[in-house]
Amino acid sequence: MEKKSVETQENILIAARAIFAQKGLAGARMQEIADTAGINKALLHYYYKNKGKLFEQVFDEALKKLFRPMAVFMADDSELFQKIRNICKHYNEVLIDYPFIPNFVINEINSDPTRILKLLDFEGVLEGKKKTEFQINEAVKAGLIRSIDPRELILNVISMSIFPFAARPIIKELLYENEDLNKVLQARADQVADFIIQSIKL
Amino acid sequence: MEKKSVETQENILIAARAIFAQKGLAGARMQEIADTAGINKALLHYYYKNKGKLFEQVFDEALKKLFRPMAVFMADDSELFQKIRNICKHYNEVLIDYPFIPNFVINEINSDPTRILKLLDFEGVLEGKKKTEFQINEAVKAGLIRSIDPRELILNVISMSIFPFAARPIIKELLYENEDLNKVLQARADQVADFIIQSIKL
DNA sequence: CTCCATTTTAACCATATGGTTAAAAAAAAC
DNA sequence: GTTTTTTTTAACCATATGGTTAAAATGGAG
């Protein structure tokens, strides 16, 4: 019967992820989370003391999902073009499964900038960054790619990988009105990588 | 003394833009808007009946700011490469002045998807779209650019133009910790255009 | 059947918040 | 100086919401 307990807590998390992602910390209602989880408010507070704690757990999860591909990319020892393909694919896989995360994270960081601190201590991203910037600079020197600021390149990669998910409803209405956006986005990983490589290769 | 009245209403709007952009509809407090505007709550409600009305006005403004460059791009009769440079520059100019808008619009649309309807009746975007898609397809046929889905190209343009502003605090911490991000972003319009043109030109 | 963890019921509290009101005060217009 | 508009004061209301509590009910495990 511990099983039931664990299952209930998982249902709460599932509900909380959906509600927080859609409405944010301020807009989410504990009652709605309880309803969505199929339980009542008392039980919700029985497992999660307060809204803030629940939010933090959900938010930290999301943060990790969003920054792990970045950390993996920075630490990746592959050759540059392969590395670019890897991060595009990696982001695409994660965001297909958790499409609400970019908007969620961006939004909540914006509404409470002190949360940026949580980014800073995120494992490995900043150390790997130097390595990757070095690698890009070397590729320029070696005449493998045209001259470009490493940070510009990285920014372009993540912009094209993440933005379509963050702005999903807008993109849908604007460009892919009559199509299954999921399929479009799924096919996009390779296209983005190609687009980038085409731009920088010599 | 109408002047005072107009000035006060403008102060309210300025405050509302800042507060709504940072905290969203649900998170914004009328009291804080009043304080920021330098007036009291009673006067705030004297000029703007309720929170919803005030929000709508601010949101509609933002929507227009975000979609005008898109409409202009779609309707632009310039040659393709120049057209790409134009939209990059146009977006950059707007977003340097109103850097909070992308996050604001994306977030609120996500939190209340019925607001997407407001996009649909936005002037000119959808008509111009066909023309621009046609233009891109012709450029492919003419051997001016490599083969690419017009929508993919458009999506890449707006992703790279808008995302850095939406994710501004993250980008700052991650890539440009010790630099003036405004200057970086200001210089970016031409870089983005070049990046794209490099990728598609033959 | 009995025990124990899980869950519900239902009432309740404190607080924050959007919004209102009426009268007074301040400021400008005439 | 009188009138009109703008603004403040300050109290007030209704409601939503996060959170609590205690007792009852449920249901599986031994």
Side-chain angles (χ1 to χ4, degrees):
Chain A
M1 85 225 91
E2 267 176 45
K3 251 181 221 168
K4 256 284 189 267
S5 167
V6 171
E7 198 185 312
T8 298
Q9 290 178 60
E10 183 53 34
N11 284 339
I12 291 173
L13 283 180
I14 291 169
R17 283 181 203 121
I19 306 288
F20 279 136
Q22 206 194 330
K23 318 219 167 175
L25 171 57
R29 300 286 157 242
M30 292 301 266
Q31 186 62 59
E32 194 183 357
I33 293 175
D35 291 348
T36 305
I39 59 167
N40 53 10
K41 213 174 56 169
L43 191 60
L44 173 56
H45 279 99
Y46 171 76
Y47 283 117
Y48 295 89
K49 266 214 225 314
N50 57 54
K51 195 183 180 183
K53 286 275 173 197
L54 180 56
F55 178 83
E56 248 179 70
Q57 188 163 337
V58 170
F59 185 71
D60 284 357
E61 266 183 29
L63 217 52
K64 276 175 195 157
K65 286 256 185 317
L66 193 64
F67 278 82
R68 191 159 325 238
M70 182 65 56
V72 170
F73 170 70
M74 296 299 195
D76 187 347
D77 281 323
S78 309
E79 164 269 336
L80 184 58
F81 288 178
Q82 186 57 47
K83 206 166 152 171
I84 289 171
R85 289 188 211 284
N86 288 347
I87 192 181
C88 290
K89 183 162 246 163
H90 198 165
Y91 257 125
N92 220 258
E93 283 169 5
V94 172
L95 298 182
I96 286 281
D97 287 340
Y98 305 93
F100 53 86
I101 283 186
N103 184 41
F104 178 47
V105 171
I106 288 171
N107 173 30
E108 294 301 327
I109 281 180
N110 190 279
S111 103
D112 177 5
T114 66
R115 271 198 262 278
I116 302 180
L117 299 172
K118 288 212 167 158
L119 301 180
L120 291 177
D121 62 2
F122 190 75
E123 353 126 15
V125 178
L126 293 177
E127 294 90 76
K129 201 184 83 170
K130 285 189 179 174
K131 195 173 75 177
T132 297
E133 287 180 355
F134 180 78
Q135 180 184 25
I136 294 170
N137 283 327
E138 287 303 304
V140 171
K141 280 184 201 155
L144 231 126
I145 61 173
R146 66 181 173 83
S147 173
I148 187 170
D149 183 326
R151 294 167 301 181
E152 188 196 333
L153 177 54
I154 295 171
L155 181 52
N156 289 344
V157 171
I158 64 177
S159 295
M160 284 191 277
S161 295
I162 299 178
F163 183 79
F165 290 91
R168 201 187 164 99
I170 297 178
I171 301 304
K172 167 81 177 167
E173 291 305 320
L174 201 66
L175 295 174
Y176 299 98
E177 210 179 339
N178 304 312
E179 271 176 80
D180 180 353
L181 191 57
N182 251 10
K183 283 189 180 167
V184 172
L185 292 175
Q186 215 143 18
R188 206 176 133 76
D190 291 334
Q191 291 166 5
V192 168
D194 286 341
F195 191 93
I196 292 158
I197 291 167
Q198 281 288 336
S199 179
I200 60 175
K201 78 168 185 205
L202 282 180
Chain B
M1 86 223 96
E2 267 176 46
K3 249 184 219 169
K4 254 287 189 268
S5 167
V6 169
E7 198 184 314
T8 299
Q9 291 178 61
E10 184 53 33
N11 284 339
I12 292 174
L13 282 180
I14 290 169
R17 282 181 203 120
I19 306 288
F20 279 136
Q22 204 192 334
K23 319 220 168 173
L25 171 58
R29 299 288 158 240
M30 291 300 267
Q31 186 62 59
E32 196 183 356
I33 292 174
D35 291 348
T36 306
I39 57 167
N40 54 8
K41 212 174 58 167
L43 192 60
L44 173 55
H45 279 99
Y46 171 77
Y47 283 118
Y48 294 90
K49 263 213 227 314
N50 57 55
K51 196 183 182 184
K53 285 276 172 198
L54 180 57
F55 177 83
E56 247 177 72
Q57 186 164 338
V58 170
F59 185 71
D60 284 357
E61 266 182 29
L63 217 52
K64 276 176 195 158
K65 286 256 188 314
L66 193 63
F67 278 83
R68 191 163 322 243
M70 182 63 58
V72 170
F73 170 69
M74 295 301 193
D76 188 347
D77 280 323
S78 308
E79 164 269 336
L80 185 58
F81 288 179
Q82 186 56 47
K83 206 165 151 172
I84 290 171
R85 289 189 211 282
N86 288 346
I87 191 181
C88 290
K89 184 162 244 164
H90 197 165
Y91 257 125
N92 221 259
E93 284 169 5
V94 171
L95 298 182
I96 287 280
D97 286 340
Y98 305 93
F100 55 85
I101 283 186
N103 184 41
F104 178 46
V105 170
I106 288 172
N107 171 30
E108 293 301 327
I109 281 180
N110 191 281
S111 104
D112 177 6
T114 65
R115 272 198 261 277
I116 303 180
L117 298 173
K118 288 212 167 158
L119 300 181
L120 291 177
D121 62 3
F122 190 74
E123 353 124 15
V125 178
L126 293 177
E127 295 92 75
K129 200 184 85 171
K130 285 189 178 172
K131 194 174 74 177
T132 297
E133 287 179 356
F134 180 78
Q135 180 185 23
I136 294 171
N137 283 328
E138 287 302 304
V140 171
K141 279 185 202 156
L144 231 125
I145 63 173
R146 67 179 173 82
S147 173
I148 188 170
D149 183 326
R151 293 166 303 180
E152 189 196 333
L153 177 54
I154 295 170
L155 181 52
N156 289 345
V157 171
I158 64 177
S159 293
M160 285 191 278
S161 295
I162 299 178
F163 183 80
F165 291 92
R168 199 187 164 101
I170 298 178
I171 301 305
K172 166 82 177 167
E173 291 306 319
L174 200 68
L175 296 174
Y176 299 98
E177 211 178 338
N178 304 313
E179 272 176 79
D180 180 352
L181 192 56
N182 251 10
K183 281 189 183 168
V184 172
L185 292 176
Q186 215 143 18
R188 205 176 134 76
D190 291 333
Q191 291 166 3
V192 169
D194 286 341
F195 191 92
I196 291 158
I197 290 167
Q198 281 288 337
S199 179
I200 59 175
K201 77 167 185 207
L202 281 180

